[in-house]
Amino acid sequence: MQFIGFGDGSDGDLHITTNTEEVAIASICSGTAGTAVLTVDAALGFAANQIVTIWQTRGDGGAGAIPGTWERAQVLSYVGTTLTLRTNLVNTYTTGGSINRAQVKVCKQYSSVTIDVGCSYSPQYWDGNKYGIMDFLCSGIFINNGTLLGTGRGFRGGAPGGDDAAFSGEGTRSPSLQNNANPDGNGGGSQHVSSVGGGNATTVTGGEGTVGSEDGNATLSLLIMGGGGGACGENSSSGAGGNGGCVASIDVRTYLQGVNGVIFN
């Protein structure tokens, strides 16, 4: 991903004085490397000169569907279901079938950001198609006396069920699937009466062959949400798997962290 700068401050000052969830402009999308066009949903708030983040959130690993691939670009125009960018895409993005999900989201351009003590700022929960990412630009100073909160806003945990009927967690390369011990990607497996948490930077293993695999890369050039945990299959009242954490891509000119400041809890 090429660095696009700290933005022009056109969204003004952001001052968080109470626990706040971002209200994002985002859509599923598809687009081909070497072109400047994304196919998106109609009647949203995209507009010329916005900066957008384009992200293959989940993918089967085939050409044009590498999970975690992302870039930023500036919008030229938005008409119907066509979002035209000022520059050609570096990567191909694919949405379709049960696995591939790419999204495009407006990346706000703040002149300053302040989070007060005891307050949190968080992205919207991943909904199976979009969100799960905190991203903004800041051309001035970001003063963090509170918390950037991403807990549970990534891939969703599996739903519970009886023996052999619970679901794996969602992950980078697979949706939630019933009785799947080792799902593709970083979702946690669920098998018979056993389950395991989602994998992130390391692979985790549980009983009866359940696995939550690692995904991503050591250079952190891919944006990978935390894998959802597999659900327990002992009985229908057993617990659901826990959600994974969100991802973040924030570029600020100056960052000042107070004694109470937390970046991603």
Side-chain angles (χ1 to χ4, degrees):
M1 198 284 296
Q2 186 176 10
F3 177 61
I4 206 167
F6 300 110
D8 61 8
S10 56
D11 290 299
D13 300 322
L14 175 66
H15 189 184
I16 303 299
T17 60
T18 187
N19 293 342
T20 301
E21 181 181 81
E22 179 188 30
V23 179
I25 298 169
S27 170
I28 56 173
C29 69
S30 294
T32 303
T35 72
V37 173
L38 289 170
T39 300
V40 299
D41 291 335
L44 298 175
F46 295 109
N49 299 320
Q50 290 171 334
I51 301 296
V52 292
T53 300
I54 309 145
W55 175 34
Q56 187 74 45
T57 313
R58 191 170 68 210
D60 58 19
I66 304 299
T69 301
W70 70 292
E71 62 192 271
R72 284 201 180 111
Q74 189 173 38
V75 175
L76 177 63
S77 65
Y78 173 50
V79 179
T81 59
T82 299
L83 188 70
T84 304
L85 308 172
R86 293 190 179 276
T87 54
N88 288 343
L89 292 166
V90 175
N91 307 293
T92 293
Y93 298 91
T94 304
T95 294
S98 64
I99 298 176
N100 296 327
R101 293 293 182 274
Q103 62 174 296
V104 55
K105 175 181 176 290
V106 172
C107 180
K108 291 296 188 70
Q109 303 177 69
Y110 297 116
S111 53
S112 71
V113 177
T114 303
I115 304 178
D116 285 352
V117 174
C119 300
S120 65
Y121 186 47
S122 56
Q124 289 169 262
Y125 287 91
W126 163 250
D127 68 1
N129 289 308
K130 55 191 184 297
Y131 309 131
I133 178 173
M134 172 62 75
D135 63 328
F136 59 81
L137 307 176
C138 179
S139 59
I141 188 169
F142 174 17
I143 302 173
N144 183 17
N145 291 310
T147 302
L148 283 172
L149 182 64
T151 304
R153 293 168 187 268
F155 288 123
R156 299 170 295 187
D163 290 1
D164 297 325
F167 286 77
S168 63
E170 290 181 316
T172 47
R173 300 169 190 264
S174 177
S176 180
L177 298 171
Q178 193 170 40
N179 200 38
N180 188 331
N182 186 9
D184 289 339
N186 64 348
S190 178
Q191 174 75 22
H192 189 42
V193 298
S194 298
S195 63
V196 69
N200 295 291
T202 58
T203 295
V204 292
T205 58
E208 300 188 88
T210 54
V211 177
S213 299
E214 66 177 296
D215 210 338
N217 56 13
T219 63
L220 303 181
S221 63
L222 300 175
L223 289 180
I224 301 292
M225 292 194 296
C232 182
E234 185 173 354
N235 56 64
S236 59
S237 62
S238 298
N243 292 352
C246 77
V247 297
S249 176
I250 298 170
D251 289 321
V252 302
R253 188 175 299 279
T254 304
Y255 177 72
L256 179 62
Q257 181 162 312
V259 294
N260 298 304
V262 177
I263 290 189
F264 285 101
N265 185 20

